[in-house]
Amino acid sequence: MEPVDLAYMREFVEECSRKALEVSLHSESLTNLQRGRLLDILLWAGELFLLLRAPRLSPVGSMASADPKLVSHAAASRH
């Protein structure tokens, strides 16, 4: 995987949210379907923003605290 510029991604998600909200509030001729799509954009942008703020866990770090039986079962089912 390539390194990701988190600051740029956060800025992009915020801009998308801002623009979707602006269009939603200032466009009187939108259909309900169009307003629903803008709402979807806002909801997904919120989810992305939360994910970008969360600390990144490595697969090894997140598995270390798991039940050893579950870890071995998950590893066996991958192969």
Side-chain angles (χ1 to χ4, degrees), residues 16-26 38 42:
C16 289
S17 299
R18 212 172 18 257
K19 292 292 183 180
L21 184 60
E22 184 179 312
V23 169
S24 170
L25 294 175
H26 298 296
L38 288 168
L42 287 171

Side-chain angles (χ1 to χ4, degrees), residues 20 32-42:
N32 285 340
L33 178 62
Q34 291 168 326
R35 288 189 191 279
R37 288 179 177 162
L38 288 168
L39 181 57
D40 280 343
I41 291 170
L42 287 171

Side-chain angles (χ1 to χ4, degrees), residues 1 55-67 70-71 74-75 78:
M1 293 184 69
R56 297 186 74 137
L57 296 175
S58 68
V60 173
S62 62
M63 296 292 266
S65 62
D67 181 359
L70 293 175
V71 173
R78 280 195 235 171

